[in-house]
Amino acid sequence: MYKRILIANRGEIALRVIRACREMGIETVAIFSEGDRGSAYLDLADEAYCVGPAKSALSYLKIDQVISAAEVGNVEAIHPGYGFLAENAHFNEVCRSCKIDFIGPSPEAMEKLGDKNSARAIAREANVPVVPGSDGLLTDESDAVRVANEIGFPVLIKATAGGGGKGMRVAANELVLKSAIQQAQTEAQAAFGNAGVYLEKYVERPRHVEVQIVADHHGNVVHLWERECSTQRRHQKLIEESPAPNLPLETREAMCEAAVRLIRNCEYTNAGTVEFIVDQQNNFYFIEVNARIQVEHPVSEMVTGIDLIQTQIAIAAGQPLPFTQADVVQRGAAIECRINAENPDRNFQPSPGKIEQMFVPGGLGVRFDSHAHQGYIVPPHYDSLIGKLIVHQPTRAKAIACMLRALDELRIEGIATTASFHKKVLQHAEFVEGRVDTSFVERVFLSK
Ligand code: MV4
């Protein structure tokens, strides 16, 4: 096992990885920007190095600076967390050439899955359902028109280098198809330096359900069941839960088995997430793979009792998974509410600044993953996530009641947070009945 790891991230996920390492007896080297200097979570690392100014492009994203910190800190491996360099195949390769283990998939697997069209081909090959659409990238317009008419409008044009909602265009009919393709290509070229686009049938009001998997270097691939992530706004998830409510066991099992088949088909190792959309008839379709640990990983940890960060580290170090599929039981129900420094009454405008007062809830089945504390100044330079409130209870109804109680106890003063918004969502009939889809938040709370 490793003796020393560098954490190439900040905030709550850096703290989460430090905690996992501490329990495994692994020393930690943290990095920070000038904007995070003096942050209390850095004291929990054995060492911490400054990698540059507050702007992430000049610090957390600077590969040479991060590698320098790893060399000076004398680490054997780097945990990238999520965001920043976590899905950067070039960084992954640089780690390899510097003989530092990247705690994640190989650069090759990352590259193949990072390209959505190639991921779609891998899924097809593995007999995993994909949304009806083009066979590969769109080459000529007459081909696009033919495919669109075969599958029927509306269609969605997606950038192969996109993901997470970036670089998509809906075309309602043949008249607007050509201009939609051109716009998508121009946008994709500007945003990703890759103009490749493909076409899918547009699924209206889908649910977003994703499967957590872990895969080791010995050929073992195991799923940790699914998470329902439909409660989102503009592709930013707000609430995640496991199990997905109102989804039959057969569907959830079929989806999880499909995710395992896909992962087996691309020599993937590490924790990963296979994303699906689910239509109103409960048909599921593969969308993309997230080749990293995700923000919402704690809900899967709570229902399975498996520490995903410790599992990632053990996998990277070459150990076989210490459990089989039969050992993984989805027990009870877990819900996570993202606590963002944002004002839900002002269109979720960021609300950085000093936390004047803070009280953290507790009690049976309550977990708060956060680097924030009384006196902490939320910097304006990064994403606004300041904590994740997670509950685990025997049933979904009890989990909702527990979360409402915990949200009532949570006190964060001095800045606005999303906690008040969560209380409204958790009491809304559609949420309580588990009838959520990706349009729920905007349809119910944000349209005037
Ligand atoms: C779709 C779709 C409808 N039809 N694909 C958005 C992000 C990317 N991961 C895939 N996305 C979607 N793909 C087809 N063919 C609707 C979405 C979508 C969505 C998906 C997951 C979570 C939230 C979403 C919000 C809006 C649209």
Side-chain angles (χ1 to χ4, degrees), residues 263-392:
I263 290 301
R264 278 194 194 287
N265 194 34
C266 53
E267 287 170 80
Y268 186 93
T269 60
N270 183 39
T273 298
V274 183
E275 283 189 22
F276 296 92
I277 52 176
V278 180
D279 71 13
Q280 288 166 25
Q281 289 73 47
N282 287 342
N283 298 304
F284 61 86
Y285 307 99
F286 167 72
I287 289 293
E288 57 193 64
V289 174
N290 300 129
R292 59 166 190 276
I293 195 70
Q294 286 187 283
V295 174
E296 59 271 28
H297 75 273
V299 299
S300 303
E301 294 186 324
M302 299 315 280
V303 294
T304 63
I306 292 167
D307 186 315
L308 278 163
I309 306 289
Q310 292 194 15
T311 305
Q312 281 189 294
I313 295 169
I315 290 170
Q319 296 185 357
L321 290 176
F323 47 83
T324 65
Q325 190 64 66
D327 298 325
V328 180
V329 180
Q330 192 180 33
R331 193 176 65 86
I335 305 179
E336 170 178 284
C337 286
R338 294 192 188 193
I339 309 300
N340 295 337
E342 292 172 0
N343 190 338
D345 299 323
R346 286 196 190 159
N347 204 27
F348 292 82
Q349 182 190 81
S351 176
K354 185 172 177 182
I355 299 179
E356 300 288 353
Q357 295 290 330
M358 181 156 161
F359 181 83
V360 174
L364 183 63
V366 177
R367 168 176 173 184
F368 191 55
D369 276 20
S370 172
H371 62 295
H373 54 84
Q374 199 160 313
Y376 177 66
I377 298 169
V378 180
H381 314 283
Y382 312 106
D383 73 53
S384 59
L385 186 73
I386 56 166
K388 305 182 301 201
L389 184 54
I390 306 118
V391 302
H392 181 219

Side-chain angles (χ1 to χ4, degrees), residues 22-34:
R22 186 48 79 91
E23 290 174 19
M24 296 173 87
I26 299 169
E27 292 174 356
T28 53
V29 176
I31 60 170
F32 61 95
S33 74
E34 298 285 2

Side-chain angles (χ1 to χ4, degrees), residues 116 120 130-132 154-158 162-166 168 170 198-209 229-237 275-277 285-288 290 437-439 442:
K116 309 302 161 206
R120 196 171 134 87
V130 299
V131 189
V155 296
L156 193 57
I157 296 130
K158 293 185 173 181
K166 282 172 287 180
M168 304 196 311
V170 184
Y198 60 98
L199 185 152
E200 284 180 357
K201 169 94 187 151
Y202 179 59
V203 179
E204 316 229 15
R205 287 177 52 168
R207 292 172 67 172
H208 175 189
V209 181
C229 303
S230 296
T231 307
Q232 57 89 43
R233 171 186 169 270
R234 300 191 181 174
H235 304 291
Q236 293 297 316
K237 295 167 187 161
E275 283 189 22
F276 296 92
I277 52 176
Y285 307 99
F286 167 72
I287 289 293
E288 57 193 64
N290 300 129
D437 64 63
T438 49
S439 72
E442 271 152 293

Side-chain angles (χ1 to χ4, degrees), residues 181-249:
I181 292 171
Q182 273 160 6
Q183 282 175 10
Q185 285 170 333
T186 307
E187 227 174 74
Q189 181 62 44
F192 316 113
N194 177 348
V197 298
Y198 60 98
L199 185 152
E200 284 180 357
K201 169 94 187 151
Y202 179 59
V203 179
E204 316 229 15
R205 287 177 52 168
R207 292 172 67 172
H208 175 189
V209 181
E210 57 186 32
V211 176
Q212 177 70 56
I213 62 92
V214 289
D216 67 16
H217 288 281
H218 305 268
N220 303 302
V221 183
V222 171
H223 71 75
L224 276 70
W225 295 95
E226 81 290 354
R227 296 183 288 258
E228 157 63 58
C229 303
S230 296
T231 307
Q232 57 89 43
R233 171 186 169 270
R234 300 191 181 174
H235 304 291
Q236 293 297 316
K237 295 167 187 161
L238 289 162
I239 301 177
E240 304 95 348
E241 60 180 299
S242 184
N246 296 334
L247 203 57
L249 179 62

